[in-house]
Amino acid sequence: AIKTLRPFVVYGPGEDLTCKKAMVDFLNDCLKGKNIVLKSSGDVVRSYIYIGDAIRAFYYVLLKGNNGVYNIASEENVYSIKQVAGFYCECSGITIEYKLENDEYLKNRTQIMVGKSEKIRNLGWSESVNLKAGIARTLMWGKEII
């Protein structure tokens, strides 16, 4: 049997704090007490799924799935990068700064990337952690390891 998992933006405790992605940059800024700096308008929209929900989804596919491709995505936690940065700010008391250096920054990126998770939901899976709660959990983890 061949089952293919296609995870969308997975975040949460255990992140590699040296990788260069927005959620990790925001986390590092919060842990250091620095304001989040957005170098774009922050209008790019993504589907965010908490690591615990993603791992459970992997097991649902492994144990109950048929051959095929399964999106591991949230249809409920769909936000712009600006909104995500705002959640980090709410949880840590920092603010957002905008430093738009040029109009071409991130211009070629897909503006909206949201996965449909109906196929995995049909296996009985559902997500249990909303983005704000997931960010709060990730910040607690980060504070424990620094």
Side-chain angles (χ1 to χ4, degrees), residues 76-93:
E76 298 162 16
N77 291 295
V78 176
Y79 295 96
S80 71
I81 201 73
K82 178 177 24 181
Q83 290 172 303
V84 172
F87 290 150
Y88 273 94
C89 291
E90 285 178 36
C91 290
S92 63

Side-chain angles (χ1 to χ4, degrees), residues 9-13 15 23 48-51 129-131 134-135 138:
V9 180
V10 179
Y11 71 96
E15 291 273 11
M23 294 281 280
Y48 298 92
I49 185 161
Y50 186 70
I51 185 67
V129 179
N130 69 41
L131 185 63
I135 287 171
T138 304

Side-chain angles (χ1 to χ4, degrees), residues 58-105:
F58 298 162
Y59 279 107
Y60 268 82
V61 174
L62 179 67
L63 298 172
K64 296 183 175 187
N66 296 315
N67 289 346
V69 178
Y70 291 83
N71 288 336
I72 309 302
S74 173
E75 293 180 43
E76 298 162 16
N77 291 295
V78 176
Y79 295 96
S80 71
I81 201 73
K82 178 177 24 181
Q83 290 172 303
V84 172
F87 290 150
Y88 273 94
C89 291
E90 285 178 36
C91 290
S92 63
I94 61 175
T95 61
I96 299 173
E97 296 176 22
Y98 291 90
K99 292 191 178 175
L100 308 177
E101 295 174 1
N102 65 54
D103 290 341
E104 299 300 313
Y105 185 76

Side-chain angles (χ1 to χ4, degrees), residues 1-126:
I2 298 175
K3 302 169 188 176
T4 303
L5 302 172
R6 185 170 38 198
F8 281 64
V9 180
V10 179
Y11 71 96
E15 291 273 11
D16 174 0
L17 297 179
T18 64
C19 80
K20 289 295 178 191
K21 60 182 191 178
M23 294 281 280
V24 174
D25 289 344
F26 299 164
L27 174 60
N28 281 320
D29 289 342
C30 290
L31 295 175
K32 294 173 185 170
K34 294 171 40 179
N35 288 339
I36 291 173
V37 176
L38 288 182
K39 296 179 181 177
S40 73
S41 62
D43 294 331
V44 171
V45 173
R46 297 287 183 260
S47 173
Y48 298 92
I49 185 161
Y50 186 70
I51 185 67
D53 287 335
I55 290 170
R56 281 189 317 95
F58 298 162
Y59 279 107
Y60 268 82
V61 174
L62 179 67
L63 298 172
K64 296 183 175 187
N66 296 315
N67 289 346
V69 178
Y70 291 83
N71 288 336
I72 309 302
S74 173
E75 293 180 43
E76 298 162 16
N77 291 295
V78 176
Y79 295 96
S80 71
I81 201 73
K82 178 177 24 181
Q83 290 172 303
V84 172
F87 290 150
Y88 273 94
C89 291
E90 285 178 36
C91 290
S92 63
I94 61 175
T95 61
I96 299 173
E97 296 176 22
Y98 291 90
K99 292 191 178 175
L100 308 177
E101 295 174 1
N102 65 54
D103 290 341
E104 299 300 313
Y105 185 76
L106 298 178
K107 197 166 199 149
N108 294 328
R109 297 272 178 127
T110 304
Q111 284 300 107
I112 299 174
M113 191 167 47
V114 178
K116 300 294 181 198
S117 58
E118 179 180 345
K119 192 170 180 181
I120 194 166
R121 288 181 190 281
N122 287 339
L123 299 176
W125 174 85
S126 63

